[in-house]
Amino acid sequence: MESIDISRLEEAVVLFYRSTSQEQAITHEWLTNAQTSTKAWQFSWQLMELGKSQEVQFFGAVTLHSKLMKYWHEVPRENHEELKQKIFEKIIQFANGPKLVLNRLCIALSAYILHMLEEWPTAIEDVISTFQNQQIPNVNKEMQLWIMLEVLLAIPEELQAIFTSVRRATMRAEVGKRFPLVMDTSVAYLNTQIDREWDSECFSNMTKAVKCVGGWVRNIGYSIENCQNITTILLKIINKCYWPCVQDTEGDGCMSADENELAETCLKTLISLIVQPDCHAFPKTAFVLIKMCLDSLSNITKMEWKRDNNNEDIVLNIYLLFVSFMERHSQLLLSGITSLDPELSTLYSRLVHELLQCTDKPGIYPVEESCSSMGLGFWYLLQDEVFAMHNYDERMKCWEYIKPLYAHVTNILVRKSEQPDDNSIDKWSSDDLESFRCYRQDISDTFMYCYDVLHEDILDILASILNETIAEVQANPTHWTKLEACIFSFQSVAEHFAGDESKQLPKLMRVLSEIPYDKMNEKLLGTALETVGSYCQWLKDNPAYIPPAIQLLVRGLNSNMSAQATLGLKELCCDCQLQMKPFAEPLLKACHDTLTSGQMKNSDCVRLMYSVGKLMSLLPAAKIPSYLDIIVGPCFEELQTICQQENKTPATRIRTIFRLNMISTLFASLNTDLDDDDQIEDLENVQPVLMVMQKTMPIFQKIAELWVEELDVLETACSALQHAIVNLKHGFRPMLQDLCCFIVAIFQTRCCAPTLEISKTAIIIFYKDEGCKALMQQLLVELVVHSFKLFDSTPDDGFSNIADTIEMFYACLMQIIKKIPLALDNEAIAFDRLIYYALKAMTLPENGPIRTSVQFLSHFVQQSRNFPAMTQAVLNAGEEIIRTAVLCVACVTPRQQVEKFADIFLSINKKYPAELVSWLRSVMQLPNFPSLLVDETEKSKFVSLILREKVNKRLVQKHLCDFAIKARGLTDRLQ
C-alpha cells in the first residue's frame, strides 16, 4: 500500500462511523487495506494521540489489536519490549476513558501476552501484581482492578482466535498453568466485596471478575473438585442481588439492571463449572455442588413462581442451571431412583420437582412467563436416559417410577398449550404469536415423549380432561381455549394409534362432530379439522366415523379455516380413498361449490384439487368427463383466454401459474387404476388424465410460446406434465410425441431446468419401450445439443448465472447413465464436450453444479468400460479430469464440498488404475501445483494415499480434506 496520509485516514475513519451503509462499504475496504499494511504499526499509535476524536482513537486501538492478532510475525524480536511499554503507556493514558478505547487496548495487551509466554513467562503474574497492588500512578483503585480483569478476561478468548506458529493445544496448556492464580485472584477480590455496599463501579468489576472465571473455565478448563469455594461465593452474590430488593417493603420488588446482570453472570458461570467435559468423573463433588445450588436457589424460584413475576430473568437462568445439571449428570441423578442412598434420592426428587415447576410456570408463554420452554427438553432427556439403561431390572424400576411423573406432565402440557383468549389476543405482537406457535410445536413433541412412557394410558388422561372441558364449555362457550388445547393434545399423539383403539377415540370423534363451532372461536374449528386429518389411519379401520368427519371437513371448506380443511380432506382422501367411494359425488359437488365461491386462497384451491382427483378416481368412467368439465374446464378456459389475448401482465402471470398448479395437482392424484401401481396401457380404460391431455396439449404449447421468458410459468407447466407422466407411466404413451414437440419447441427458444427434468423423466420411463426408443433417443440428443448451445454462448465468467440449468443438466444425465447407460451410447452425443463442461461445472462456486457434475463424471467413468467410445473419451480427458479435481480440492471448491470429489478418484481408481498412476503423478509434478503451500513431499504422500484406496470412500474423503487444509494454509487455524 502507498504511504498513508494520517489526515486522510482520520477523515476516512470519521466518515466510516458517521455515514450511511453504502458509504461505509466503500470506506471499509480502504480502511481494511490500511489495517493490513505494515505501516499500521506506526499510524495506530498516531491515531491514539490525545486530542483525536473518540472514533479515531478507537480505530487506532482496533488496528493495534488486529495487528497483534494476525501479524505478530512482522514485529522484530528486539522490538518486543518497546511494544510492551507502548501498550502500557496507552492503557494508562486512557485509564480515565473513553472505556471503548481502553477495552480494546486491554484486549490488545492480552494478545501480546499470549505471543510472549515463552519470552515473558511471568506475564500474567506481572499484570496481576501491577494492577492489584495499585502500582499505576494517577489511576484509582477500582479502575486498576477493571483494567486487570479486562486483560485476564480477554486472554482465553484471544487464545481461540489468535494467529500463531505455536500449536494451539500447546499454548492452551501453557495458559492453563496460570489458571489457579487467576482463580485465586478473582475469588479474593469477590470475597472482599461480599459484605460491602455495592455501587456501580463495584457492580462492574464484580461482574467482570465473575465473567473472567467463567471465560477461563469454558476455554481452559478447571477441575470440578476445586470449585466448591467459587460456587459458594457465586451463590452468595446471587442471593445478595435478589433478596434485598424483594424484601424491601418500600420498593417495587424488581432487581436493578446491575443486579440482574451480576446474578445472570454468576449463574452462567455456575453452568460453565458444572458442565465441564470431565466433571462426570467426580460424582461426589458434582452431588455436593448440585445440592449447594438447590439449597441456595430453590427459595428464589419458589418466590417467583407466579404469573407476571417481577424478576423473570434470574428465574430463567436458575432453571437453565437446573436443566444443565440434569443434562450433564443424568446418570448420577437417575441413580437416585434405584439407589438406596436417601440423600441421592432426595436430591433427584428435589431437582425433578424444580423442573416440574419450571414447566408448570403460571401464565401464558411468552407474554406472561418465559421459563416453561426450558423444561420441555428435560422431559425428552429423562425418558431417553431411562429407556437407554442396560440393566433390565433398573430400567423397569425407573420406568414405573416416572410414569406418574409423566402423567402429571401431560396435564400440565394441556394447560400450557392453551391459546390466548379473545380478550387478550389483541395485546400480543406478531413476534409473540410466532414464539407461541413454536412453543406449541415443542409441546406437541413433548406429548410424544409422554406417550413413550405412558402408552395407551395417555388417552385416558386426555379423555378425562376432555370431559372437564366439555362441561366447562357447555356452561360458558367463551371458555373455548382449554377444549382447543385438549383437542390439540389428542392430535399430537395421533400417529401412535391404529384402528384397534376403541375406547377413547370414538368418543373424541363424536365430540368433534357435536361441538357448536358457530358459537366459538374459529381457532377451535381449525384444530378440530387438523385432528381429523391426523386420525385418518384410524378412520380407515373405523369407517363408521368417516361421514361425520366429512361433514366437519366440508364445514371447514366454507370457513376461514379452509387451509386446515383442505389439508384434512387431502389426508382423508389419500389414506381412506376406497372407503370414500360412497361419498365421492356429494363431496365433489361440495368441492365444486367451494372452488366457485371465490372465498378460498389460491394455495387452498390448489390443495383441494388433490382431493378432487382422488374422488374422481372413484367414479364410474362415464361420470368422470362431466365432473372434469365443471371443475377443471374453467381452468383451461381461463388459460386459453389469456393465450388468445396474448395478455402478458403480472396479474395474468399469477393467474396462469395458479391455474397450472391446480391442473398439476389434479394430474398427480387422478388415476382410475386404483389397484395397479405399475400400470400397463389398457385400451378399454382410457385414463381421464390422458383424455384431458389429448384435448388440452395445444394450450400447453401456447403457454410455452407466450411465457417462454418467464421461468416460473414454464416450471409450473412442466410440473403439470411431469405429474401426468409419473401418474400414468406407460399409459401416457399416446401423448409422447406431443410432449416431445412441446419440449423441443421450448428448447429452440431457451434451454432451462424444467424442460430438462421432464425430458429426463420421459426418457427413463419410455426408453426401454421398443416402440418409443427412437423417439427417446432423439429427445436425448436434443437435450444435450440445446444444452451445449446454451453453454457455448455463455461467457467464461457467466456460468454462475446459469448454475441451476447446469445443475439440472448433469443431474438428468447422471440419472440416465445410472439407470439406462445404453441410452448415452450414441455417436450424436459428444462425450468430450460432456466431460469438458462437467469439469467447468466443478470449478463453479455454487454447490449444485459441483455436486451433480461430480456425480455424473463418477457414473460416466464407471459405465465407460462397457462402451468403447466412452472409454476413449475417458482416456483422452483423464489427465485433465484429475488435474481439475486436484485443483478444486486444493483451492477452488468451497471446503464443505471437497469430500464429494472422492467419488471421482474412486471410480477412476477402480476402472482405470494404471492410467490413474500416470495421470496423478504427471499432474502433481507440475511446479507449484496445485498450491505454493504444499511441498513435493506432501504431494508425493497425497498421491500414494489416493492410489492406495480403491474402496474405502471415507478414507479418501479424509485424505482430500487433509490435503485441502494444507493447500489452503489453514493448518494453524484448525489446531
Side-chain angles (χ1 to χ4, degrees):
M1 193 172 182
E2 296 178 3
S3 59
I4 297 173
D5 184 288
I6 291 296
S7 300
R8 183 185 172 200
L9 187 60
E10 289 182 30
E11 290 173 4
V13 171
V14 173
L15 178 66
F16 177 76
Y17 286 115
R18 300 182 184 179
S19 61
T20 63
S21 56
Q22 188 174 0
E23 292 171 323
Q24 278 185 335
I26 299 169
T27 313
H28 177 265
E29 184 178 356
W30 189 83
L31 290 174
T32 301
N33 290 335
Q35 280 185 321
T36 58
S37 73
T38 55
K39 296 179 178 60
W41 289 108
Q42 286 78 47
F43 72 68
S44 62
W45 306 107
Q46 294 173 278
L47 295 178
M48 287 187 284
E49 290 175 355
L50 293 173
K52 305 288 186 184
S53 69
Q54 181 172 325
E55 293 97 332
V56 170
Q57 292 173 332
F58 178 69
F59 183 78
V62 167
T63 301
L64 176 62
H65 173 234
S66 176
K67 297 300 288 184
L68 285 164
M69 281 286 293
K70 300 176 183 177
Y71 300 97
W72 174 254
H73 61 275
E74 295 177 354
V75 183
R77 189 179 181 89
E78 59 270 18
N79 290 357
H80 289 177
E81 184 63 28
E82 178 191 357
L83 180 58
K84 179 177 78 171
Q85 295 304 322
K86 291 175 79 171
I87 295 173
F88 271 103
E89 287 170 9
K90 285 298 175 186
I91 286 175
I92 295 168
Q93 175 186 319
F94 286 98
N96 295 318
K99 271 194 175 181
L100 198 66
V101 182
L102 179 60
N103 165 266
R104 191 57 54 172
L105 286 168
C106 291
I107 297 173
L109 178 57
S110 300
Y112 175 87
I113 288 171
L114 289 171
H115 287 301
M116 292 290 290
L117 281 176
E118 186 177 341
E119 286 183 49
W120 185 22
T122 60
I124 294 174
E125 292 88 335
D126 292 348
V127 167
I128 290 173
S129 174
T130 299
F131 291 103
Q132 193 176 36
N133 297 326
Q134 304 168 47
Q135 295 177 15
I136 305 299
N138 302 320
V139 180
N140 68 49
K141 176 184 177 182
E142 291 299 324
M143 182 50 64
Q144 292 200 43
L145 283 169
W146 189 94
I147 294 169
M148 177 192 76
L149 292 168
E150 195 71 52
V151 173
L152 295 178
L153 172 61
I155 286 173
E157 295 172 356
E158 293 298 284
L159 176 61
Q160 305 305 313
I162 199 166
F163 284 50
T164 172
S165 58
V166 181
R167 286 181 62 86
R168 210 170 300 280
T170 304
M171 183 178 285
R172 185 180 291 107
E174 195 61 35
V175 171
K177 295 176 183 177
R178 280 80 174 176
F179 195 174
L181 174 63
V182 174
M183 178 66 86
D184 291 345
T185 303
S186 301
V187 166
Y189 167 69
L190 293 171
N191 261 326
T192 62
Q193 305 301 312
I194 287 289
D195 298 321
R196 297 183 181 179
E197 287 291 324
W198 298 341
D199 57 18
S200 59
E201 280 192 342
C202 187
F203 270 115
S204 175
N205 281 344
M206 289 182 69
T207 302
K208 208 164 288 296
V210 176
K211 281 183 179 178
C212 181
V213 172
W216 279 72
V217 168
R218 280 190 301 276
N219 295 302
I220 307 299
Y222 194 68
S223 174
I224 192 176
E225 291 207 296
N226 301 322
C227 291
Q228 268 184 257
N229 191 20
I230 183 64
T231 300
T232 301
I233 294 169
L234 294 175
L235 291 171
K236 284 182 180 178
I237 293 172
I238 294 167
N239 279 278
K240 185 171 179 179
C241 286
Y242 176 77
W243 288 109
C245 74
V246 173
Q247 294 167 345
D248 184 0
T249 55
E250 296 181 4
D252 58 5
C254 290
M255 297 167 66
S256 68
D258 286 337
E259 288 167 338
N260 252 318
E261 184 184 9
L262 179 54
E264 180 179 344
T265 306
C266 289
L267 287 162
K268 287 181 177 178
T269 299
L270 283 170
I271 292 173
S272 298
L273 290 169
I274 207 71
V275 301
Q276 293 183 79
D278 65 341
C279 61
H280 65 277
F282 307 98
K284 291 182 179 179
T285 306
F287 172 87
V288 171
L289 296 183
I290 294 171
K291 187 175 183 301
M292 286 171 62
C293 292
L294 276 170
D295 290 343
S296 180
L297 302 175
S298 57
N299 284 334
I300 297 178
T301 60
K302 185 177 180 181
M303 176 67 74
E304 296 293 328
W305 199 77
K306 54 191 174 184
R307 188 190 302 258
D308 291 324
N309 54 303
N310 293 323
N311 300 295
E312 185 78 352
D313 288 344
I314 188 172
V315 181
L316 185 69
N317 283 286
I318 290 172
Y319 282 136
L320 185 59
L321 175 66
F322 292 163
V323 170
S324 300
F325 289 156
M326 291 300 296
E327 288 177 347
R328 194 71 189 88
H329 299 279
S330 56
Q331 293 297 321
L332 167 68
L333 295 165
L334 272 179
S335 65
I337 299 175
T338 56
S339 172
L340 299 177
D341 183 348
E343 289 191 355
L344 189 56
S345 181
T346 301
L347 183 72
Y348 165 81
S349 299
R350 289 179 64 192
L351 196 52
V352 168
H353 172 73
E354 288 291 342
L355 293 172
L356 202 61
Q357 293 293 88
C358 170
T359 309
D360 198 22
K361 184 84 158 51
I364 300 178
Y365 180 95
V367 173
E368 296 170 346
E369 61 92 7
S370 57
C371 295
S372 60
S373 60
M374 285 286 155
L376 298 181
F378 164 72
W379 303 114
Y380 164 75
L381 173 73
L382 180 59
Q383 57 87 31
D384 188 58
E385 290 286 350
V386 167
F387 293 134
M389 286 181 164
H390 297 297
N391 186 293
Y392 176 80
D393 292 335
E394 289 188 357
R395 183 168 71 249
M396 297 308 293
K397 182 178 179 181
C398 288
W399 188 6
E400 288 301 316
Y401 188 92
I402 66 174
K403 277 184 179 180
L405 184 61
Y406 276 80
H408 186 33
V409 171
T410 300
N411 279 278
I412 291 171
L413 293 178
V414 174
R415 182 182 71 77
K416 295 301 293 184
S417 62
E418 284 186 49
Q419 302 217 40
D421 60 27
D422 302 335
N423 297 323
S424 62
I425 189 67
D426 292 337
K427 302 174 186 176
W428 286 47
S429 68
S430 58
D431 287 343
D432 292 335
L433 290 170
E434 176 59 18
S435 295
F436 182 72
R437 186 193 67 79
C438 297
Y439 175 68
R440 284 244 296 190
Q441 184 56 54
D442 292 339
I443 286 179
S444 182
D445 294 339
T446 309
F447 274 124
M448 298 286 279
Y449 311 141
C450 291
Y451 169 82
D452 290 337
V453 174
L454 300 171
H455 293 176
E456 289 77 7
D457 292 344
I458 196 171
L459 287 185
D460 296 333
I461 297 168
L462 295 178
S464 175
I465 300 172
L466 185 62
N467 290 334
E468 296 173 13
T469 58
I470 291 170
E472 189 174 331
V473 167
Q474 287 172 342
N476 192 338
T478 60
H479 294 175
W480 58 271
T481 57
K482 191 170 183 180
L483 176 58
E484 189 275 341
C486 186
I487 295 171
F488 169 78
S489 307
F490 273 103
Q491 177 198 334
S492 298
V493 297
E495 70 178 62
H496 286 296
F497 295 100
D500 56 353
E501 207 294 322
S502 59
K503 184 180 176 184
Q504 305 298 353
L505 293 183
K507 176 183 173 183
L508 171 67
M509 292 300 161
R510 285 195 297 273
V511 168
L512 293 180
S513 64
E514 293 170 359
I515 293 173
Y517 295 102
D518 53 338
K519 297 180 181 179
M520 299 185 193
N521 190 291
E522 61 186 13
K523 291 179 182 176
L524 180 61
L525 174 60
T527 303
L529 294 167
E530 290 175 350
T531 304
V532 167
S534 299
Y535 280 98
C536 285
Q537 283 292 335
W538 183 87
L539 289 169
K540 182 178 180 180
D541 295 325
N542 296 270
Y545 294 92
I546 288 180
I550 291 174
Q551 188 177 5
L552 179 59
L553 291 167
V554 170
R555 178 179 191 151
L557 290 177
N558 300 299
S559 71
N560 291 331
M561 297 291 110
S562 58
Q564 290 88 335
T566 54
L567 279 167
L569 188 58
K570 178 180 178 181
E571 291 172 10
L572 190 64
C573 290
C574 188
D575 293 341
C576 310
Q577 185 179 13
L578 295 178
Q579 289 77 11
M580 298 283 284
K581 191 168 185 176
F583 319 104
E585 288 199 64
L587 253 180
L588 280 170
K589 289 176 182 176
C591 291
H592 174 250
D593 292 342
T594 303
L595 288 169
T596 55
S597 69
Q599 294 179 353
M600 283 203 304
K601 294 179 181 178
N602 286 359
S603 58
D604 297 337
C605 291
V606 170
R607 192 183 302 114
L608 186 58
M609 290 300 284
Y610 184 90
S611 301
V612 168
K614 287 289 186 182
L615 293 168
M616 275 193 197
S617 303
L618 299 169
L619 298 180
K623 291 188 176 183
I624 293 177
S626 61
Y627 279 100
L628 285 172
D629 287 341
I630 63 170
I631 296 179
V632 188
C635 296
F636 284 107
E637 288 168 10
E638 184 174 358
L639 291 172
Q640 188 161 18
T641 301
I642 292 171
C643 290
Q644 286 173 345
Q645 295 176 352
E646 297 187 0
N647 187 12
K648 291 178 63 175
T649 65
T652 56
R653 176 180 150 276
I654 290 171
R655 291 298 297 178
T656 299
I657 291 172
F658 164 54
R659 288 304 196 182
L660 285 171
N661 275 326
M662 289 183 71
I663 294 164
S664 177
T665 306
L666 181 80
F667 284 178
S669 60
L670 177 53
N671 191 323
T672 54
D673 290 334
L674 300 178
D675 300 322
D676 189 3
D677 293 331
D678 299 317
Q679 300 113 20
I680 306 300
E681 183 180 9
D682 184 352
L683 297 176
E684 296 181 1
N685 179 22
V686 178
Q687 283 281 1
V689 171
L690 188 62
M691 293 165 50
V692 175
M693 290 294 305
Q694 288 169 336
K695 292 180 181 179
T696 60
M697 196 66 196
I699 297 178
F700 280 95
Q701 291 167 343
K702 289 177 183 177
I703 290 170
E705 292 170 10
L706 182 63
W707 300 99
V708 71
E709 298 302 324
E710 298 290 341
L711 191 61
D712 50 357
V713 178
L714 288 181
E715 188 171 359
T716 313
C718 288
S719 174
L721 297 175
Q722 175 104 343
H723 279 128
I725 298 171
V726 172
N727 190 354
L728 299 180
K729 295 185 173 65
H730 292 278
F732 190 84
R733 187 165 60 182
M735 292 301 300
L736 200 55
Q737 182 72 48
D738 292 320
L739 176 69
C740 291
C741 293
F742 170 81
I743 292 170
V744 172
I746 299 176
F747 274 151
Q748 289 172 347
T749 306
R750 68 177 299 184
C751 179
C752 55
T755 45
L756 292 172
E757 184 172 14
I758 194 173
S759 301
K760 176 261 297 181
T761 303
I763 291 167
I764 289 176
I765 290 175
F766 292 103
Y767 187 87
K768 293 180 180 179
D769 187 327
E770 286 299 324
C772 306
K773 186 172 184 179
L775 186 59
M776 293 300 95
Q777 285 177 329
Q778 184 181 350
L779 180 59
L780 178 57
V781 171
E782 293 286 344
L783 181 154
V784 173
V785 167
H786 286 289
S787 298
F788 283 165
K789 285 181 181 178
L790 173 65
F791 301 161
D792 291 342
S793 63
T794 303
D796 285 344
D797 59 353
F799 275 79
S800 285
N801 298 329
I802 58 168
D804 58 337
T805 304
I806 298 173
E807 177 183 357
M808 183 57 68
F809 175 69
Y810 281 108
C812 292
L813 288 182
M814 187 271 291
Q815 288 291 325
I816 291 170
I817 199 169
K818 184 178 179 181
K819 295 182 177 181
I820 41 172
L822 186 64
L824 273 184
D825 188 26
N826 189 327
E827 60 183 15
I829 297 175
F831 297 137
D832 57 336
R833 297 178 73 194
L834 281 180
I835 295 172
Y836 171 78
Y837 284 118
L839 297 179
K840 202 162 192 66
M842 279 163 45
T843 62
L844 294 177
E846 290 79 15
N847 295 342
I850 296 170
R851 185 187 70 255
T852 59
S853 60
V854 167
Q855 289 173 344
F856 165 74
L857 278 177
S858 303
H859 285 286
F860 187 89
V861 169
Q862 289 174 29
Q863 296 291 345
S864 63
R865 284 297 191 186
N866 300 321
F867 306 98
M870 291 188 195
T871 302
Q872 192 57 50
V874 174
L875 291 172
N876 292 342
E879 187 169 327
E880 184 61 19
I881 293 173
I882 294 300
R883 188 194 73 80
T884 307
V886 172
L887 195 64
C888 287
V889 167
C891 56
V892 174
T893 298
R895 254 184 61 212
Q896 64 269 24
Q897 299 295 316
V898 163
E899 288 186 352
K900 290 183 171 59
F901 286 84
D903 289 331
I904 288 182
F905 290 102
L906 284 170
S907 60
I908 294 178
N909 206 359
K910 184 176 180 180
K911 297 296 181 179
Y912 299 85
E915 290 83 354
L916 178 61
V917 174
S918 172
W919 295 336
L920 194 52
R921 287 178 177 166
S922 173
V923 163
M924 299 301 276
Q925 284 173 0
L926 295 172
N928 299 327
F929 180 88
S931 162
L932 292 169
L933 299 174
V934 285
D935 56 32
E936 294 302 319
T937 304
E938 290 170 325
K939 290 200 287 186
S940 178
K941 180 183 177 183
F942 173 70
V943 170
S944 300
L945 291 171
I946 294 297
L947 293 176
R948 185 185 306 158
E949 294 302 332
K950 289 182 170 60
V951 178
N952 195 325
K953 182 177 177 178
R954 184 186 59 78
L955 270 181
V956 175
Q957 289 174 334
K958 181 181 182 302
H959 299 330
L960 294 180
C961 289
D962 291 345
F963 187 72
I965 289 169
K966 291 173 184 173
R968 299 171 193 225
L970 301 174
T971 308
D972 172 67
R973 300 182 75 176
L974 295 173
Q975 287 173 350

